[in-house]
Amino acid sequence: MKRITLTMMLLLMSVAAFAQSDKLVGKWDGTLKSPQGERPATATFKKEGEAYSGTITGMRGDVPLKNIKIVGDKITAQAEIETPQAGTLTINYEFKLVANDLKGVGSLDFGGNAISFDVELKRAAEGAAAAATAAAPAAGQIAAPARQQRPPSVEQPQQKQSIDYFVGAWNFRYVGRESALGPAPREGVLTLTKGADGKTLNGAVVGKHDGGAYQESVVVIYDEATKSLNFTEKRPGNVTLTSAGDWASPIAIRFKVEPVKAQSQTLQLRRTISIVAAHSFTVTEELSEDGGPFVRLGNAIYSKSEGK
């Protein structure tokens, strides 16, 4: 009985050692780093035949990796994420593997904005051999069916609904089509300062577009009790937009915007703000002209200025 048990133990340890012999297969822990800060990250790689598969931490949890290729110590891979404002986005990863360090860069294009971040990972300690040995049945016993482990749930990044979230200077780039509500594309800085009442923000946009300078002003009022966020925007061409946003969900704010008259048209805007992280949010806008169907007007990504 002891010989059989020892043999099984050695076999299990050999299988684990063989799996670990691949320089990429296994779990890797570390961080994602960007100018706005860093956050924990995990990557896991598997190999079936000659093909690799895996997952990596994304903004909304773990996302699958595909097209994983190894050339020497260089590793490339891709991941796809779905966003309400830009559809499917492809993240391109490039890593360099040296011993137990896996370092590289992730990059993507978001509405014409090039975004990149650093990834630094180290091989995680493996406990597979010990776990497998502990689960091995004694001689003469029938092994119980392996219980399928449910993958741990990954929480979406969520920010507390607070007027303080928007305080500061935000760099932005708006990509879309031009309309009576404003030129596009345009870019600049939105600066929001908190009023003495603690629930009002006064803001100004200073930017540019292909035709020259661009400016607008905005007043934001937040009601903690109802989780409502009201905007009043004064745009070029004597256009004033008044909108009421529902911030009941911590990850999205959906606005109802009052119709306006501009350039002999009746315009109805529809807007959604998606809270990506403490340092980033996105805006998606749709427009109806003279009672017609809503069509995509544009989208923007806002990133908090470093040190603000």
Side-chain angles (χ1 to χ4, degrees):
M1 183 180 297
K2 290 183 178 180
R3 289 181 179 175
I4 294 175
T5 303
L6 179 60
T7 300
M8 294 180 67
M9 291 174 62
L10 292 173
L11 178 61
L12 289 167
M13 293 175 67
S14 298
V15 170
F18 176 78
Q20 190 62 38
S21 64
D22 188 280
K23 62 182 181 179
L24 182 60
V25 169
K27 183 180 178 183
W28 301 77
D29 292 328
T31 57
L32 299 180
K33 298 182 178 180
S34 71
Q36 290 78 27
E38 62 181 67
R39 57 194 299 266
T42 297
T44 303
F45 295 92
K46 299 179 181 179
K47 188 177 183 181
E48 295 182 6
E50 296 300 316
Y52 288 92
S53 62
T55 62
I56 192 166
T57 301
M59 192 63 70
R60 300 296 188 193
D62 288 351
V63 293
L65 289 169
K66 65 178 186 178
N67 299 330
I68 303 173
K69 298 179 181 179
I70 301 179
V71 179
D73 61 356
K74 302 292 193 303
I75 299 168
T76 58
Q78 292 180 327
E80 292 185 347
I81 57 174
E82 295 291 333
T83 67
Q85 58 274 4
T88 302
L89 298 178
T90 299
I91 304 175
N92 297 295
Y93 290 97
E94 295 184 2
F95 296 105
K96 184 174 183 180
L97 175 59
V98 179
N100 290 322
D101 292 323
L102 187 61
K103 298 181 179 181
V105 175
S107 59
L108 69 152
D109 182 281
F110 187 97
N113 294 283
I115 301 174
S116 64
F117 51 89
D118 296 327
V119 186
E120 296 186 3
L121 305 171
K122 286 186 176 293
R123 185 179 291 280
E126 297 290 341
T133 302
Q141 291 183 339
I142 299 176
R147 180 179 296 177
Q148 186 174 3
Q149 297 294 323
R150 181 178 296 177
S153 60
V154 180
E155 293 185 359
Q156 293 187 356
Q158 296 184 355
Q159 304 299 318
K160 179 183 177 182
Q161 295 103 312
S162 170
I163 194 70
D164 293 329
Y165 173 82
F166 289 101
V167 173
W170 299 82
N171 298 313
F172 75 91
R173 178 173 172 78
Y174 185 96
V175 179
R177 63 184 180 89
E178 187 168 343
S179 73
L181 297 181
R186 59 184 183 268
E187 60 184 17
V189 178
L190 164 65
T191 304
L192 294 165
T193 56
K194 195 172 183 179
D197 62 2
K199 63 179 183 179
T200 302
L201 298 179
N202 295 297
V205 173
V206 178
K208 62 181 180 179
H209 59 96
D210 290 343
Y214 179 85
Q215 292 185 344
E216 66 177 80
S217 63
V218 58
V219 176
V220 183
I221 301 176
Y222 178 62
D223 188 325
E224 175 70 30
T226 61
K227 295 293 187 293
S228 61
L229 196 69
N230 298 316
F231 276 63
T232 301
E233 305 161 63
K234 293 186 177 181
R235 295 192 171 189
N238 293 321
V239 175
T240 299
L241 293 179
T242 303
S243 57
D246 180 1
W247 202 358
S249 166
I251 62 174
I253 310 171
R254 291 177 173 83
F255 289 87
K256 293 182 179 180
V257 185
E258 294 294 329
V260 296
K261 287 278 190 179
Q263 297 180 7
S264 302
Q265 291 180 304
T266 299
L267 304 176
Q268 174 79 60
L269 188 66
R270 198 156 61 186
R271 176 188 293 150
T272 299
I273 292 180
S274 297
I275 308 297
V276 178
H279 50 73
S280 181
F281 67 88
T282 62
V283 176
T284 303
E285 292 183 335
E286 296 176 312
L287 183 65
S288 168
E289 299 174 318
D290 292 326
F294 282 93
V295 297
R296 179 62 61 90
L297 178 62
N299 58 70
I301 182 168
Y302 287 72
S303 299
K304 206 160 196 177
S305 297
E306 190 172 358
K308 300 293 185 181

